[in-house]
Structures are given as C-alpha cells and as structure tokens.
Amino acid sequence: MVARRPTFGQAIKRSSGYVLSSLITLPYYRFYRQNTLLPILAIMRSVRERESDDVLFQRTRYWRERKLREFQFVQVAGTLLAAAVIGCFSWVPNDGQHWLGPAAWYSCLVLSLFAILLSSSEAFIFSTIKDVPGKTSQARELAMIARVEPITPQQPQPTATDGREKGKGRQRQDVQVKIKWIMVFTWQAPIMLVAYAVICFLAGLTIYVCTPLYDGLGFRGESKASIFYLVSFVASGATFVWCSFWAYRFIDLDEQDLYTVG
C-alpha cells in the first residue's frame, strides 16, 4: 500500500517550527494566527500553485497592510503599558510584598520599551516596500517569509509526443516553497513582546493588591479590597477570553479562500 503524501497544510502543521511557534504564541495565538501565520501560508500556497501575479500581489499587499496596522497597535499598547508601570512605581510599597511583584513590573517596562522599538523598526521596513506589482518586487517580499526553489524533475528520453507538448510543459514549472520560521518569529515578535508585557503587568498588579491575603497579618479591610479585585479580575478575564474567541471565530468569512491551507 502506497503511503499518502501529506498535504501542504499537514506538512506545515507537522513541522517543529509550527509546534514551537504555537507554544510561544499561546497567550495571543488567535491574533498571531490571523495577522501573521494564515496570510503567510496563503501567500506560500499561491506561489506553490503558480497562481497569477495579480493574486499574489493582492495577498502580499493585504498581509503588509495588516502588519502595519498591527505595528501601530503595538506602539500604542506598549506606550500605555510603560506609562502604567511607571505610575505604579509611585505607589507605597506594601510590607510583606513578594519580590515577584516588582520584578514583574520591571519586566513589563522592559518588554514594553522593546516592543515599541521593534514595532517601529519593522513598520519602517514594511513602509519602504514599494507597492508596485512585478516579479522583482514579489521576489523580495517572498524572501522575507519563505524560500522558493524550482523543482527540476528527471526527464526521460524525448519522444514524438513529448516533442509536441514541449512548449506547453515549459510554461509551468513546479516550485518547492519552504517557510522561514525564523522570519515568522521575527514579524510576530512585536505583538509577542507586548502580550507578555501585559501578562507581567497583571501579575505584578495582582501580587501587589493581594499582599494582605498572604502577608500573615490577618484578615482586615485591605483583604476585602483584594478579594474584590480578584473577583473583578476573574470576571473581566473570562469575558475577554469568551468574547475574543467568538470575535475571531467568525472573522473573514468572505475570504475563506485566502486562509485555506489544507
């Protein structure tokens, strides 16, 4: 029995880069999937199936515009996070506060600053790409995400039938497209930094506010405030996760062909 060759999407999902990126991007996987992974896979599939230059141009431009909007979001979010952390540093330290609280806030500040710098740098790179259709421009953009190599099959001795179809065979050459996972990581790094900055900020805030619950001084008024904070935190977090799931669940229904990778 001949083993069935995996499809393009199955081969991608079985790669170590896909598994590793899925683990790294777990806190913001939907955002990463919609704005980085699926558009890149759609571009690769267009190249692999030798679609027209116009289709490839539209998909690369769509991905580039989407990434620019993402970089703008990262810059705004990183600035707000950095300002929030700096404001928290002026609060009166709680006696008995765990050292992880300040450490998380310091980490948040560093991650936010580097998210702003990296998003600005990558936004500049994307903005310098000329929006002009052409094989040279497309080749440069493809080099940013994938490695395209022509496949040269072993040709048998020519026959009369082969001679009649020689011109037709030359019109279409198969290519091998390999995704550059290091570049996928590079283009999604700004949103990764700001996502982990949010996690660090919330962790530091939780440790600070909940200090009365673990400092060993007994239950008091500050403990009630800590409990109220935890209830609000859980309710807000659950609402965010639930709404984010359903928001991304039905996104781009009119462009399913753009994201088909199976």
Side-chain angles (χ1 to χ4, degrees):
M1 183 177 180
V2 180
R4 185 178 180 182
R5 186 178 181 181
T7 63
F8 176 64
Q10 292 173 344
I12 290 293
K13 293 180 180 179
R14 292 177 184 177
S15 63
S16 58
Y18 179 86
V19 176
L20 183 60
S21 65
S22 299
L23 294 176
I24 295 175
T25 61
L26 187 60
Y28 57 99
Y29 179 74
R30 286 284 181 176
F31 209 101
Y32 156 74
R33 183 174 183 270
Q34 293 291 338
N35 292 339
T36 302
L37 181 61
L38 292 185
I40 288 178
L41 294 181
I43 295 172
M44 292 178 58
R45 182 165 184 167
S46 296
V47 177
R48 180 172 174 267
E49 297 182 355
R50 311 301 292 169
E51 294 183 345
S52 65
D53 293 341
D54 292 337
V55 174
L56 183 59
F57 171 72
Q58 292 295 334
R59 292 188 174 182
T60 53
R61 185 177 65 176
Y62 175 83
W63 174 65
R64 188 169 63 249
E65 292 176 350
R66 196 157 190 170
K67 292 302 295 184
L68 285 173
R69 290 194 296 268
E70 179 185 291
F71 294 151
Q72 293 175 357
F73 165 77
V74 170
Q75 293 171 13
V76 174
T79 303
L80 293 176
L81 278 173
V85 171
I86 293 174
C88 292
F89 287 154
S90 63
W91 294 355
V92 178
N94 289 330
D95 295 334
Q97 179 182 352
H98 199 279
W99 63 269
L100 283 176
W105 277 344
Y106 292 137
S107 300
C108 174
L109 180 60
V110 172
L111 291 171
S112 300
L113 293 177
F114 277 100
I116 296 172
L117 294 175
L118 185 58
S119 61
S120 301
S121 175
E122 294 187 0
F124 174 76
I125 295 175
F126 274 72
S127 62
T128 57
I129 299 176
K130 295 182 179 180
D131 196 9
V132 179
K135 292 187 178 298
T136 303
S137 177
Q138 291 177 358
R140 292 177 179 175
E141 290 193 63
L142 288 176
M144 298 168 60
I145 57 176
R147 183 181 298 106
V148 182
E149 300 174 351
I151 299 177
T152 306
Q154 295 181 354
Q155 298 182 355
Q157 294 295 330
T159 61
T161 304
D162 294 336
R164 289 192 298 267
E165 298 181 355
K166 185 176 181 180
K168 182 179 179 181
R170 287 183 177 177
Q171 295 177 358
R172 189 181 184 92
Q173 184 180 17
D174 293 334
V175 294
Q176 184 179 19
V177 186
K178 296 181 179 179
I179 189 170
K180 295 180 180 178
W181 287 110
I182 187 65
M183 298 307 299
V184 174
F185 176 83
T186 300
W187 302 129
Q188 66 85 42
I191 192 66
M192 177 191 69
L193 293 177
V194 79
Y196 282 104
V198 172
I199 294 175
C200 290
F201 176 77
L202 293 177
L205 181 63
T206 302
I207 293 173
Y208 179 88
V209 176
C210 295
T211 300
L213 298 178
Y214 62 81
D215 60 1
L217 299 179
F219 191 84
R220 54 192 188 276
E222 291 81 356
S223 303
K224 298 178 182 179
S226 301
I227 294 176
F228 190 84
Y229 163 80
L230 290 176
V231 173
S232 302
F233 180 84
V234 172
S236 301
T239 302
F240 173 79
V241 172
W242 177 265
C243 295
S244 297
F245 171 79
W246 287 108
Y248 282 105
R249 177 68 175 81
F250 297 104
I251 193 172
D252 291 334
L253 287 178
D254 57 337
E255 300 182 27
Q256 289 182 355
D257 59 326
L258 180 64
Y259 298 127
T260 303
V261 297

Coordinates of all heavy atoms in Angstrom, one line a residue, residues 88-150:
C88 N 2.7 53.0 38.5 CA 2.7 52.1 39.7 C 3.9 52.1 40.6 O 3.8 51.8 41.8 CB 2.5 50.6 39.1 SG 0.9 50.3 38.3
F89 N 5.0 52.6 40.0 CA 6.2 52.7 40.8 C 6.1 53.7 41.9 O 6.8 53.7 42.9 CB 7.4 53.0 39.9 CG 7.9 51.8 39.1 CD1 8.5 52.0 37.9 CD2 7.6 50.5 39.5 CE1 9.0 51.0 37.1 CE2 8.0 49.4 38.7 CZ 8.7 49.7 37.5
S90 N 5.2 54.7 41.7 CA 5.0 55.7 42.7 C 4.1 55.3 43.9 O 3.9 56.0 44.9 CB 4.4 57.0 42.1 OG 3.1 56.7 41.6
W91 N 3.5 54.1 43.8 CA 2.7 53.6 44.9 C 3.5 53.2 46.1 O 4.7 52.9 46.0 CB 1.9 52.4 44.5 CG 0.9 52.6 43.4 CD1 0.5 53.9 42.9 CD2 0.1 51.7 42.7 NE1 -0.4 53.7 41.9 CE2 -0.7 52.4 41.8 CE3 -0.1 50.3 42.8 CZ2 -1.6 51.8 40.9 CZ3 -1.0 49.7 41.9 CH2 -1.8 50.4 41.0
V92 N 2.9 53.3 47.3 CA 3.6 53.0 48.5 C 3.8 51.5 48.6 O 2.8 50.7 48.4 CB 2.8 53.5 49.7 CG1 3.5 53.1 51.0 CG2 2.6 55.0 49.7
P93 N 5.0 51.0 48.8 CA 5.2 49.5 48.8 C 4.5 48.9 50.0 O 4.5 49.5 51.1 CB 6.7 49.4 49.0 CG 7.3 50.7 48.5 CD 6.2 51.8 48.8
N94 N 3.9 47.8 49.8 CA 3.3 47.0 50.9 C 4.3 46.2 51.7 O 5.2 45.6 51.1 CB 2.2 46.1 50.3 CG 1.0 46.8 49.8 OD1 0.7 47.9 50.3 ND2 0.4 46.2 48.8
D95 N 4.1 46.2 53.0 CA 5.0 45.4 53.8 C 4.7 43.9 53.6 O 3.5 43.5 53.6 CB 4.8 45.8 55.3 CG 5.3 47.2 55.6 OD1 6.1 47.7 54.9 OD2 4.7 47.8 56.6
G96 N 5.7 43.1 53.4 CA 5.5 41.7 53.1 C 5.2 41.4 51.7 O 4.8 40.2 51.4
Q97 N 5.3 42.3 50.8 CA 5.0 42.1 49.4 C 6.1 41.1 48.8 O 7.3 41.3 49.1 CB 5.0 43.4 48.6 CG 4.7 43.2 47.1 CD 4.7 44.5 46.3 OE1 4.8 45.6 46.9 NE2 4.7 44.4 45.0
H98 N 5.6 40.2 48.0 CA 6.6 39.2 47.4 C 7.4 39.9 46.4 O 7.0 40.8 45.7 CB 5.8 38.1 46.8 CG 6.6 36.8 46.5 ND1 7.5 36.7 45.4 CD2 6.8 35.7 47.2 CE1 8.1 35.5 45.5 NE2 7.6 34.9 46.5
W99 N 8.7 39.5 46.2 CA 9.6 40.1 45.3 C 9.2 39.9 43.9 O 9.7 40.7 43.0 CB 11.0 39.5 45.5 CG 11.1 38.1 45.2 CD1 11.0 37.0 46.1 CD2 11.4 37.5 43.9 NE1 11.2 35.8 45.4 CE2 11.4 36.1 44.1 CE3 11.7 38.0 42.6 CZ2 11.7 35.2 43.0 CZ3 11.9 37.1 41.6 CH2 11.9 35.7 41.8
L100 N 8.3 39.0 43.6 CA 7.9 38.8 42.2 C 7.1 40.0 41.7 O 7.0 40.2 40.4 CB 7.1 37.5 42.1 CG 7.9 36.2 42.0 CD1 7.0 35.0 42.0 CD2 8.9 36.2 40.9
G101 N 6.4 40.7 42.6 CA 5.6 41.8 42.1 C 6.5 42.9 41.4 O 6.2 43.2 40.3
P102 N 7.5 43.5 42.1 CA 8.3 44.5 41.5 C 9.1 43.9 40.3 O 9.2 44.6 39.2 CB 9.3 44.9 42.6 CG 8.6 44.6 43.8 CD 7.8 43.4 43.6
A103 N 9.5 42.6 40.4 CA 10.2 42.0 39.2 C 9.3 41.9 38.0 O 9.8 42.2 36.9 CB 10.7 40.6 39.6
A104 N 8.0 41.6 38.2 CA 7.1 41.6 37.1 C 6.9 42.9 36.4 O 6.8 43.1 35.2 CB 5.8 41.0 37.5
W105 N 6.8 44.0 37.3 CA 6.7 45.3 36.7 C 7.9 45.8 36.0 O 7.8 46.4 34.9 CB 6.3 46.3 37.9 CG 4.9 46.2 38.2 CD1 3.8 45.7 37.4 CD2 4.2 46.8 39.4 NE1 2.6 45.9 38.0 CE2 2.8 46.5 39.2 CE3 4.7 47.4 40.5 CZ2 1.9 46.9 40.2 CZ3 3.8 47.8 41.5 CH2 2.4 47.5 41.3
Y106 N 9.1 45.5 36.5 CA 10.3 45.8 35.8 C 10.4 45.1 34.4 O 10.8 45.7 33.4 CB 11.5 45.5 36.6 CG 11.7 46.3 37.9 CD1 12.0 45.8 39.1 CD2 11.5 47.7 37.8 CE1 12.2 46.6 40.2 CE2 11.6 48.5 39.0 CZ 12.0 47.9 40.2 OH 12.1 48.7 41.3
S107 N 10.0 43.9 34.4 CA 10.0 43.1 33.2 C 9.0 43.7 32.2 O 9.2 43.8 31.0 CB 9.6 41.6 33.5 OG 10.6 41.0 34.3
C108 N 7.8 44.1 32.7 CA 6.8 44.7 31.9 C 7.3 46.0 31.2 O 7.1 46.2 30.0 CB 5.6 45.0 32.7 SG 4.3 45.9 31.8
L109 N 8.1 46.8 32.0 CA 8.6 48.0 31.4 C 9.6 47.7 30.3 O 9.6 48.4 29.2 CB 9.3 48.8 32.5 CG 9.9 50.2 32.1 CD1 8.8 51.1 31.5 CD2 10.6 50.8 33.3
V110 N 10.5 46.8 30.5 CA 11.5 46.4 29.5 C 10.8 45.9 28.3 O 11.2 46.3 27.1 CB 12.5 45.4 30.1 CG1 13.4 44.9 29.0 CG2 13.3 46.1 31.2
L111 N 9.9 45.0 28.5 CA 9.2 44.4 27.3 C 8.4 45.4 26.5 O 8.4 45.4 25.3 CB 8.3 43.3 27.8 CG 8.9 42.0 28.3 CD1 7.8 41.1 29.0 CD2 9.6 41.2 27.2
S112 N 7.8 46.3 27.2 CA 7.0 47.4 26.5 C 8.0 48.3 25.7 O 7.6 48.6 24.5 CB 6.3 48.2 27.5 OG 5.4 47.4 28.3
L113 N 9.1 48.7 26.3 CA 10.0 49.5 25.5 C 10.6 48.9 24.3 O 10.6 49.5 23.2 CB 11.1 50.0 26.4 CG 10.7 50.9 27.6 CD1 12.0 51.2 28.5 CD2 10.1 52.2 27.1
F114 N 10.9 47.6 24.4 CA 11.5 46.9 23.3 C 10.4 46.6 22.2 O 10.7 46.5 21.0 CB 12.2 45.6 23.7 CG 13.6 45.8 24.1 CD1 13.9 45.9 25.5 CD2 14.6 46.0 23.2 CE1 15.2 46.1 25.9 CE2 15.9 46.2 23.6 CZ 16.2 46.3 25.0
A115 N 9.1 46.4 22.7 CA 8.0 46.2 21.7 C 7.8 47.5 20.9 O 7.6 47.4 19.7 CB 6.8 45.9 22.5
I116 N 7.9 48.6 21.5 CA 7.8 49.9 20.8 C 8.9 50.1 19.8 O 8.7 50.4 18.6 CB 7.7 51.1 21.8 CG1 6.5 51.0 22.7 CG2 7.7 52.4 21.0 CD1 6.5 52.0 23.8
L117 N 10.1 49.8 20.2 CA 11.3 50.0 19.3 C 11.2 49.0 18.2 O 11.5 49.4 17.0 CB 12.6 49.8 20.1 CG 12.9 50.8 21.2 CD1 14.1 50.4 22.0 CD2 13.0 52.2 20.6
L118 N 10.9 47.7 18.4 CA 10.9 46.7 17.4 C 9.8 46.9 16.4 O 9.9 46.8 15.2 CB 10.8 45.3 18.0 CG 10.9 44.1 17.0 CD1 12.2 44.2 16.2 CD2 10.8 42.8 17.8
S119 N 8.6 47.3 16.9 CA 7.5 47.6 16.0 C 7.7 48.8 15.1 O 7.4 48.8 13.9 CB 6.2 47.8 16.8 OG 6.3 48.9 17.7
S120 N 8.4 49.8 15.7 CA 8.7 51.0 14.9 C 9.7 50.6 13.8 O 9.6 51.0 12.6 CB 9.3 52.1 15.8 OG 8.4 52.4 16.8
S121 N 10.7 49.8 14.1 CA 11.7 49.3 13.2 C 11.1 48.5 12.0 O 11.4 48.7 10.9 CB 12.8 48.5 13.9 OG 13.7 48.0 13.0
E122 N 10.3 47.5 12.4 CA 9.7 46.7 11.4 C 8.6 47.5 10.5 O 8.4 47.2 9.4 CB 9.1 45.5 12.0 CG 10.1 44.5 12.6 CD 9.5 43.2 13.1 OE1 8.3 43.0 13.0 OE2 10.3 42.4 13.7
A123 N 7.9 48.4 11.2 CA 7.0 49.2 10.4 C 7.7 50.1 9.4 O 7.2 50.3 8.2 CB 6.2 50.1 11.4
F124 N 8.9 50.5 9.7 CA 9.7 51.3 8.7 C 10.1 50.4 7.6 O 10.1 50.8 6.4 CB 10.9 51.8 9.4 CG 11.9 52.5 8.5 CD1 11.6 53.8 8.0 CD2 13.1 51.9 8.1 CE1 12.5 54.4 7.1 CE2 13.9 52.5 7.2 CZ 13.7 53.7 6.7
I125 N 10.5 49.1 7.9 CA 10.8 48.2 6.8 C 9.6 48.0 5.9 O 9.8 48.0 4.6 CB 11.3 46.9 7.4 CG1 12.6 47.1 8.1 CG2 11.5 45.8 6.3 CD1 13.1 45.9 8.9
F126 N 8.5 47.7 6.4 CA 7.3 47.5 5.6 C 6.9 48.7 4.8 O 6.4 48.6 3.7 CB 6.1 47.0 6.5 CG 6.1 45.5 6.7 CD1 7.1 45.0 7.6 CD2 5.2 44.7 6.2 CE1 7.1 43.6 7.8 CE2 5.2 43.3 6.4 CZ 6.2 42.8 7.2
S127 N 7.0 49.9 5.4 CA 6.6 51.1 4.7 C 7.5 51.4 3.5 O 7.1 52.2 2.6 CB 6.6 52.3 5.7 OG 7.9 52.5 6.2
T128 N 8.8 50.9 3.5 CA 9.7 51.2 2.4 C 9.5 50.3 1.2 O 10.1 50.5 0.2 CB 11.1 51.1 2.9 OG1 11.3 49.7 3.4 CG2 11.5 52.1 4.0
I129 N 8.7 49.3 1.4 CA 8.4 48.4 0.3 C 7.5 49.1 -0.7 O 6.4 49.5 -0.4 CB 7.8 47.0 0.7 CG1 8.7 46.3 1.7 CG2 7.4 46.1 -0.4 CD1 8.1 45.1 2.3
K130 N 7.9 49.1 -2.0 CA 7.1 49.8 -3.0 C 5.9 48.9 -3.4 O 6.1 47.8 -3.6 CB 8.0 50.1 -4.2 CG 9.1 51.1 -3.9 CD 9.9 51.4 -5.2 CE 11.0 52.4 -4.9 NZ 11.8 52.7 -6.1
D131 N 4.7 49.6 -3.4 CA 3.5 48.9 -3.7 C 3.3 48.8 -5.2 O 2.4 49.4 -5.8 CB 2.3 49.5 -3.1 CG 1.1 48.7 -3.0 OD1 1.2 47.5 -3.4 OD2 0.0 49.2 -2.7
V132 N 4.3 48.1 -5.9 CA 4.3 48.0 -7.4 C 4.3 46.6 -7.8 O 5.2 45.8 -7.3 CB 5.5 48.8 -8.0 CG1 5.5 48.7 -9.5 CG2 5.5 50.2 -7.5
P133 N 3.4 46.1 -8.6 CA 3.4 44.7 -9.0 C 4.6 44.4 -9.9 O 4.9 45.3 -10.7 CB 2.0 44.5 -9.7 CG 1.6 45.9 -10.1 CD 2.2 46.8 -9.1
G134 N 5.1 43.3 -9.7 CA 6.3 42.9 -10.6 C 7.0 41.7 -10.0 O 7.0 41.5 -8.7
K135 N 7.7 41.0 -10.8 CA 8.4 39.8 -10.3 C 9.5 40.1 -9.4 O 9.8 39.4 -8.4 CB 8.9 38.9 -11.5 CG 7.7 38.3 -12.3 CD 8.3 37.4 -13.4 CE 7.2 36.7 -14.2 NZ 6.3 35.9 -13.3
T136 N 10.2 41.2 -9.6 CA 11.3 41.6 -8.8 C 10.9 42.0 -7.4 O 11.4 41.5 -6.4 CB 12.1 42.7 -9.4 OG1 12.6 42.4 -10.7 CG2 13.3 43.1 -8.5
S137 N 9.8 42.8 -7.3 CA 9.3 43.2 -6.0 C 8.7 42.0 -5.3 O 8.9 41.9 -4.1 CB 8.2 44.3 -6.3 OG 7.6 44.7 -5.0
Q138 N 8.0 41.1 -6.0 CA 7.4 40.0 -5.3 C 8.5 39.0 -4.8 O 8.3 38.4 -3.8 CB 6.5 39.3 -6.3 CG 5.2 40.0 -6.6 CD 4.3 39.3 -7.7 OE1 4.7 38.2 -8.1 NE2 3.2 39.9 -8.0
A139 N 9.6 38.9 -5.6 CA 10.6 38.0 -5.1 C 11.3 38.5 -3.8 O 11.6 37.7 -2.9 CB 11.7 37.9 -6.2
R140 N 11.4 39.8 -3.7 CA 11.9 40.4 -2.5 C 11.0 40.2 -1.3 O 11.5 39.9 -0.2 CB 12.2 41.9 -2.7 CG 13.3 42.2 -3.7 CD 13.5 43.7 -3.9 NE 14.6 44.0 -4.8 CZ 14.9 45.2 -5.2 NH1 14.1 46.2 -4.8 NH2 15.8 45.4 -6.1
E141 N 9.7 40.3 -1.5 CA 8.8 40.1 -0.4 C 8.7 38.7 0.0 O 8.6 38.3 1.1 CB 7.4 40.7 -0.8 CG 7.3 42.2 -0.9 CD 5.9 42.7 -1.0 OE1 5.1 42.5 0.0 OE2 5.5 43.3 -2.0
L142 N 8.8 37.8 -1.0 CA 8.7 36.3 -0.7 C 10.0 35.9 0.1 O 9.9 35.0 1.0 CB 8.7 35.5 -2.0 CG 7.3 35.6 -2.7 CD1 7.4 34.8 -4.1 CD2 6.2 35.0 -1.9
A143 N 11.1 36.6 -0.2 CA 12.3 36.2 0.6 C 12.2 36.6 2.0 O 12.9 36.1 2.9 CB 13.5 37.0 0.0
M144 N 11.2 37.4 2.4 CA 11.0 37.8 3.8 C 10.3 36.8 4.6 O 10.3 36.8 5.8 CB 10.2 39.1 3.8 CG 10.9 40.3 3.2 SD 9.8 41.7 3.0 CE 9.3 42.1 4.7
I145 N 9.7 35.8 3.9 CA 8.9 34.8 4.6 C 9.1 33.4 4.2 O 8.8 32.5 5.0 CB 7.3 35.1 4.4 CG1 7.0 35.1 3.0 CG2 7.0 36.4 5.1 CD1 5.5 35.3 2.7
A146 N 9.7 33.2 3.0 CA 9.8 31.8 2.5 C 11.0 31.7 1.6 O 11.6 32.6 1.1 CB 8.5 31.4 1.8
R147 N 11.3 30.4 1.3 CA 12.4 30.1 0.4 C 11.8 29.3 -0.8 O 11.2 28.3 -0.6 CB 13.5 29.2 1.1 CG 14.7 28.9 0.2 CD 15.7 28.0 0.9 NE 16.2 28.7 2.1 CZ 15.9 28.4 3.3 NH1 15.0 27.4 3.6 NH2 16.4 29.0 4.4
V148 N 11.9 29.9 -1.9 CA 11.3 29.3 -3.1 C 12.4 28.7 -4.0 O 13.3 29.4 -4.4 CB 10.5 30.4 -3.9 CG1 9.8 29.7 -5.2 CG2 9.5 31.0 -3.1
E149 N 12.3 27.4 -4.3 CA 13.3 26.7 -5.1 C 12.6 26.0 -6.2 O 11.6 25.2 -6.0 CB 14.1 25.7 -4.2 CG 14.8 26.4 -3.1 CD 15.4 25.3 -2.2 OE1 15.2 24.1 -2.4 OE2 16.2 25.7 -1.3
P150 N 13.0 26.1 -7.5 CA 12.4 25.4 -8.6 C 12.7 23.9 -8.5 O 13.8 23.5 -8.1 CB 13.1 26.0 -9.8 CG 14.4 26.6 -9.3 CD 14.1 27.0 -7.9

